[in-house]
Amino acid sequence: MAKRIIYPLYQLGNPQLRIFRPTFNLTLVRPGKEQPPDTVQFRIPLEMTKFDVRNYLEKIYSVPVAAVRTRIQYCTNKKRNHLNQRVKRPDYKVAYVQLAQQQTFQFPDIFPEKDRKHEEGSVEEMQEKFMEDERQRQKPDPRRGGVTEWFGL
Amino acid sequence: MAAAVTSRLTAAVCRQFQRVVTVSSYTQPQCATQAFSKFHSCQRRQTYDSWWFRSSTNNRALHTSCVREGLEDFFDLPENWGEQTVKSGAPWTGKQLRVKSNEDLHKLWYVLLKEKNMLLTLEQEAKRQRLPMPSPERLKKVERSMKRLDTVVTEREDSLRLLQTGQERGRPGEWRRNVFGKTFWYRFKEHPIPWYLNSRYKRRRFFEPSHVAPYTRLSLEKYLRSKIRKEKREKRNQKMLAAVFPKKTALA
């Protein structure tokens, strides 16, 4: 599967290369810099091309793609491990995909704050109550009106 | 049979298809993990049914002008955002996959691929937000399922090729000796020009020079010696054990 797949050589007149069961994985990432509203940022394998990305998104995800631009991000080989050997962080390719048909995309907040209700008598509930009591004990005396204990009396 | 297959194809459901309300018939869904489909489930079925009929409260499925139509598949179901753990079932085993037809395996591959993309997106975002990823074992499960699917498909391709042409391997090759005297399986590559015009190929020597020949013999002797030593060690061990634990017949 992933063992150095070799694609057939293309010469004029050969049939169109079709990849069944692609092994490419796309990762949608939040853009580091501000991007226009119709731009989606992906991390793609180094072997993928702009045409591959376009076909992938159109065929598998049915996302209308207007334009794709790619760049390769070189990651450091400078870091050293506990044996003083250089450790390479793997390089990756970034694709900036612009959506067609005036669609927009905003990267959503996937980790919203949710207050969880623990069921009665569970370990988590007892832990939560204990932590709450601890926090109450650590609070300074409200009668001092915000003045710290450092000032005597 | 064909009808069942096509109905299953049209209704092949996982997370992504749940969002589209226009499915005509409902049959056993294909899940990325065969979670609950392992038990031929009542549980999973109910969740699917409730998702379906819940479309009145959830506007996503009824979006007419979808802002990000296919890109929703890169994220989990919105209920699972912010959870600490997300339930998932067992990975597909080879035994279960061998029962499936080629069309089903093809579809399952894409289901698994999309699931893997979703999990990778989640992992990256969790790293970005410096929060723990909910249920990272899902990634391993999906990877294993994909590996096993690939094994099953290659098995089928191999057997078909053997039956039709008698070729053992899909990619042609031959045994060659490299410069160091080692014999290895050289796999052929496609070139647009013949080998005698390929200067880079000619620089790569597939014969051992005459001064290397003695070392081939020596390494062969070394290998044989180590093999015989291992066998002798094994026999000695068995003998010692037989001496310590003699075979006794049952005393009547």
Side-chain angles (χ1 to χ4, degrees), chain A residues 9-11, chain B residues 190-194 198:
Chain A
L9 208 62
Y10 179 80
Q11 288 171 316
Chain B
E190 272 190 272
H191 300 275
I193 45 172
N198 195 343

Side-chain angles (χ1 to χ4, degrees), chain B residues 5-163:
Chain B
V5 168
T6 43
S7 67
R8 195 190 347 199
L9 297 183
T10 50
V13 177
C14 195
R15 226 185 40 260
Q16 49 270 30
F17 292 101
Q18 287 174 26
R19 298 193 178 101
V20 178
V21 189
T22 59
V23 180
S24 47
S25 62
Y26 174 69
T27 48
Q28 188 76 30
Q30 264 189 11
C31 324
T33 54
Q34 30 123 29
F36 303 109
S37 63
K38 205 166 178 175
F39 319 133
H40 285 292
S41 84
C42 11
Q43 286 162 300
R44 188 73 152 163
R45 212 173 262 248
Q46 274 158 15
T47 52
Y48 277 126
D49 285 338
S50 65
W51 172 262
W52 234 297
F53 300 131
R54 226 178 344 109
S55 54
S56 52
T57 53
N58 184 350
N59 298 325
R60 263 166 163 251
L62 295 178
H63 245 154
T64 44
S65 62
C66 261
V67 164
R68 25 178 161 126
E69 271 169 343
L71 295 174
E72 291 166 351
D73 295 338
F74 279 101
F75 305 102
D76 211 346
L77 292 169
E79 305 90 62
N80 294 339
W81 292 1
E83 296 290 329
Q84 291 300 319
T85 48
V86 178
K87 272 203 228 176
S88 61
W92 286 89
T93 63
K95 206 168 166 185
Q96 290 150 354
L97 290 169
R98 272 175 253 264
V99 185
K100 300 287 174 190
S101 72
N102 285 330
E103 288 85 14
D104 282 347
L105 287 182
H106 192 81
K107 289 185 183 300
L108 184 61
W109 179 269
Y110 287 97
V111 169
L112 290 169
L113 189 72
K114 289 173 98 161
E115 183 71 18
K116 189 151 174 219
N117 285 347
M118 184 275 283
L119 292 170
L120 286 171
T121 323
L122 191 62
E123 194 185 19
Q124 190 53 42
E125 183 60 18
K127 282 187 194 167
R128 182 65 175 268
Q129 304 295 338
R130 292 190 240 185
L131 288 167
M133 175 190 174
S135 317
E137 70 272 0
R138 291 182 285 174
L139 249 178
K140 273 204 273 188
K141 285 181 190 172
V142 171
E143 270 167 21
R144 279 176 194 162
S145 304
M146 285 175 98
K147 193 93 206 281
R148 287 163 189 169
L149 206 163
D150 188 63
T151 317
V152 168
V153 171
T154 44
E155 269 175 18
R156 288 185 187 179
E157 282 176 357
D158 279 344
S159 45
L160 207 63
R161 190 180 52 241
L162 273 168
L163 285 168

